[in-house]
Each structure stands twice: as structure tokens, then as C-alpha cells.
């Protein structure tokens, strides 16, 4: 939803993933962390693999982070749909077969009828963003982004609304033809995070035990990490790198390859510790009680009024 006035809210992120790898799970947690700290906004979350359990997991994570919010803002947060691609998935993630069916996981998604068409969801989400204030993160097959490009007039909307497409290369091989179409026709800059970036910046297993310990309830991201493969293991972070750059492209976390389309993320060794520290901080962030979003100008005016009242002499 756009607000009147010149000031823009944080960047709106569309996250389109297969949700079959643990780095995608951690990138989803990061996105909720960025949203809670008002460094980004969740514009849309979609599952491009067609895996219903993966969509249910995304919804479970959404409800987990929404649990701290009550009142009118909670109604908005609980109403955000999850996109799910049509068709039976080529393979189901081993993560969710081990997780679901056990008590403790809430989800509003019971069947595909409880999800949204991915291309339509992304189109509608982008149309609601301020111009040049959205970014798309792709970590699964590009099938639905290719469908999005075929929708009438959408390329113009993408060029108007989206500042950047960030692609985790480890997920796009599932539909090479769709990836080629997206790389050829996407009307904004594209940046890719290669496998080597993910391997050079492993998410530490020790963080799962230490930094998520604040949660007295079952944490879906922690359980997914443990279900993915036997602990302890450090996880590659390709999707996390794409998410971090999409939110903070100008903060010096990564260097970029020379001009062209797409450009690639290049690791600056001096930034390695800082990047992993940001991964941990955002992925392990606690749910934050949210208030209904208001125009940034309105927030500034309210702050000025409070400061003025403090300066007024007591009667």
C-alpha cells in the first residue's frame, strides 16, 4: 500500500524460492529479520517449486514472526497470502517431510486453494510499491518470473517499480529455459550470487544453538536446519547473499563484477566477518510487535510534536 508524500518506506522485497535448500530457509528468516527492524518490507513470498509443504512452511514462519503483533496490524500480517506454483513438484524437500505431521506448527494453508498464483501475486505486489523501491530475490527456478514477463504490460511495471533482481544461481538450473528468458528480457539490473559466494560465507552451525536460544517455543527455522542434514554442519549461504545485497546494495558488503547483464557478486575478504555477523543477526532476530504502517512524514511530525512538548515549560 502506497502512502502519500515524498518519503519512501524501506524497500519492498519479493522472495521467490523453491524453499528446498537450507540457505533459502535462512534467507526467509533474514527477510523477516529485516522487516522487523524496518530495513525492508515483505512485499510477497512465493514458492516456485510447487511443493505444498514448502508453502506451508513459509506460512508457518510468517505466523511465527507475526505472533508478537496484536491489534489492527496483526490482521494485516495474518492476511498475507503465500504464492505457490501450479503442478506437482519434481521433488519434495526432505526438510518438511520430517517437520510436518508433528504438533506445534500452525499454518492456514491446507491445500493449494489456500495459496495464490505466483505470477499474479508478484504482479499485484509490485504494482503497490513506490517507484524504484522494490527488489526481487530469486533462489529457485525462474518459471514464474518468466510467466510474469508474459503478462500484458508487466515489463513496464517492473521497470518502473523494481530497482534490482538478485538471483541465487544454485536454484535456477531446475528450469534453464525460464532462466534464459528472464536474463534476456528482465528490464532492470540483475545481480547473481554464485555457488562460490555461498561456499565462502558459510552460516555457522554454532549459531543455531546459541543465537536462536531466546525462543522458548519451537522455532521453525531451527527445526528446519536440524532436519536438513545431521548436525552440526555449516550451511552454504547463496540465497542469503542474494537477500543481503537486495536489501543493502550500497552498504559495501560485496563488490560487483564489471559491467554487463547480469553482474555477479564478488566477495571482499575484508567483509567476510561482517557479512556472516549480519546473517546471524537478521536470521536469529526475535519477532517484533508491529504497529500499522504510517507514512514516514507522519512519523517525523509525531516525533517533532513529542520533542516540542518536552521543551514546553510545565504549568
Amino acid at each position: 500500500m502506497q502512502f502519500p508524500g515524498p518519503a519512501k518506506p524501506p524497500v519492498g522485497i519479493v522472495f521467490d524460492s523453491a524453499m528446498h535448500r537450507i540457505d533459502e530457509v535462512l534467507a526467509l528468516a533474514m527477510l523477516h529479520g529485516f522487516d522487523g527492524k524496518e530495513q525492508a518490507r515483505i512485499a510477497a513470498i512465493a514458492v516456485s517449486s510447487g511443493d505444498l509443504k514448502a508453502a506451508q512452511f513459509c506460512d508457518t514462519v510468517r505466523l511465527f514472526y507475526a505472533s508478537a503483533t496484536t491489534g489492527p496490524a496483526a490482521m494485516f500480517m495474518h492476511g498475507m497470502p503465500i504464492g505457490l506454483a501450479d503442478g506437482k513438484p519434481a521433488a519434495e524437500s526432505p526438510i518438511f517431510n520430517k517437520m510436518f505431521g508433528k504438533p506445534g506448527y500452525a499454518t492456514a494453508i491446507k491445500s493449494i486453494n489456500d495459496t495464490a498464483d505466483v505470477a499474479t501475486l508478484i504482479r499485484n505486489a509490485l504494482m503497490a510499491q513506490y517507484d524504484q523501491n522494490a527488489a526481487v530475490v530469486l533462489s529457485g527456478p525462474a518459471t514464474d518470473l518468466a510467466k510474469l514477463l508474459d503478462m500484458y504490460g508487466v515489463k513496464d511495471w517492473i521497470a518502473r517499480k523494481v530497482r534490482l533482481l538478485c538471483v541465487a544461481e544454485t536454484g535456477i538450473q531446475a528450469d534453464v529455459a525460464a532462466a534464459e528468458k528472464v536474463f534476456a528480457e528482465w528490464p532492470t539490473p540483475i545481480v547473481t550470487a554464485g555457488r562460490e559466494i555461498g561456499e565462502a560465507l558459510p552460516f555457522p552451525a554454532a549459531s543455531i544453538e546459541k543465537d536462536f536460544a531466546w525462543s522458548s517455543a519451537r522455532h521453525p527455522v531451527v527445526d528446519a536446519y536440524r532436519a536438513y542434514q545431521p548436525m552440526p554442519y555449516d550451511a552454504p549461504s547463496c540465497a542469503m547473499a542474494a537477500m543481503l545485497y537486495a536489501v543493502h546494495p550500497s552498504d559495501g558488503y560485496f563488490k560487483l563484477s564489471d559491467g554487463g547483464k547480469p553482474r555477479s557478486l564478488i566477495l571482499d575478504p575484508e567483509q567476510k566477518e561482517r557479512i556472516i555477523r549480519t546473517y546471524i543477526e537478521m536470521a536469529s532476530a526475535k519477532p517484533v510487535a508491529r504497529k500499522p504502517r504510517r507514512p514516514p512524514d507522519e512519523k517525523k511530525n509525531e516525533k517533532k510534536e513529542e520533542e516540542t512538548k518536552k521543551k514546553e515549560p510545565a504549568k
Side-chain angles (χ1 to χ4, degrees):
M1 182 179 196
Q2 291 192 4
F3 293 118
K8 291 182 179 180
V11 61
I13 300 293
V14 170
F15 186 28
D16 186 16
S17 75
M19 206 51 59
H20 276 188
R21 305 185 315 276
I22 197 60
D23 63 314
E24 295 181 292
V25 171
L26 292 167
L28 179 65
M30 282 180 67
L31 177 55
H32 282 279
F34 282 129
D35 187 88
K37 294 179 182 295
E38 297 190 346
Q39 296 180 28
R41 295 169 300 113
I42 299 174
I45 294 172
V47 176
S48 56
S49 63
D51 186 346
L52 179 64
K53 289 181 179 177
Q56 290 175 322
F57 176 78
C58 291
D59 192 54
T60 292
V61 173
R62 177 181 65 84
L63 293 174
F64 178 85
Y65 283 95
S67 63
T69 302
T70 58
M75 296 176 62
F76 172 78
M77 294 179 70
H78 282 260
M80 293 181 65
I82 303 295
L84 180 64
D86 292 334
K88 186 177 180 180
E92 292 185 341
S93 170
I95 302 173
F96 312 122
N97 286 331
K98 297 178 182 178
M99 292 179 61
F100 286 103
K102 299 178 181 179
Y105 291 113
T107 176
I109 297 176
K110 308 303 179 185
S111 72
I112 192 172
N113 294 330
D114 300 318
T115 65
D117 174 75
V118 175
T120 303
L121 175 70
I122 294 175
R123 179 198 63 187
N124 294 346
L126 292 180
M127 291 175 69
Q129 306 305 307
Y130 275 88
D131 291 354
Q132 294 299 297
N133 201 45
V136 178
V137 178
L138 174 67
S139 65
T143 311
D144 289 294
L145 289 191
K147 291 179 181 178
L148 176 70
L149 290 171
D150 286 334
M151 300 177 86
Y152 178 77
V154 165
K155 288 182 184 178
D156 291 337
W157 278 105
I158 294 172
R160 178 178 168 183
K161 301 294 183 177
V162 178
R163 70 187 188 191
L164 184 66
L165 167 62
C166 291
V167 180
E169 288 186 333
T170 49
I172 61 175
Q173 293 87 351
D175 190 341
V176 174
E180 290 176 346
K181 176 182 176 67
V182 170
F183 283 142
E185 299 181 17
W186 190 266
T188 80
I190 302 174
V191 171
T192 62
R195 187 182 300 274
E196 69 283 355
I197 284 285
E199 292 175 350
L201 295 164
F203 187 87
S207 175
I208 296 296
E209 307 296 341
K210 176 184 176 183
D211 299 298
F212 293 78
W214 53 263
S215 178
S216 57
R218 294 179 64 184
H219 196 307
V221 173
V222 170
D223 285 352
Y225 197 100
R226 290 173 174 159
Y228 188 66
Q229 65 185 56
M231 291 284 285
Y233 69 96
D234 294 343
S237 65
C238 191
M240 302 179 80
M243 183 65 70
L244 177 57
Y245 188 80
V247 175
H248 291 298
S250 302
D251 284 11
Y253 286 102
F254 300 96
K255 295 180 179 180
L256 288 179
S257 61
D258 292 336
K261 186 178 179 181
R263 301 177 72 181
S264 301
L265 295 183
I266 297 174
L267 176 61
D268 179 354
E270 293 184 359
Q271 296 298 320
K272 181 175 180 178
E273 182 178 341
R274 177 185 176 219
I275 292 170
I276 294 176
R277 187 168 62 246
T278 304
Y279 284 172
I280 293 170
E281 178 187 357
M282 293 302 161
S284 66
K286 297 179 181 180
V288 176
R290 307 304 297 275
K291 297 179 180 179
R293 289 194 173 105
R294 295 171 297 156
D297 285 350
E298 183 179 310
K299 293 181 181 179
K300 290 180 182 178
N301 291 337
E302 184 179 271
K303 186 176 181 180
K304 288 180 180 178
E305 290 177 1
E306 291 177 354
E307 291 174 351
T308 301
K309 289 180 180 179
K310 290 179 181 179
K311 294 178 181 177
E312 290 179 351
K315 295 182 179 180

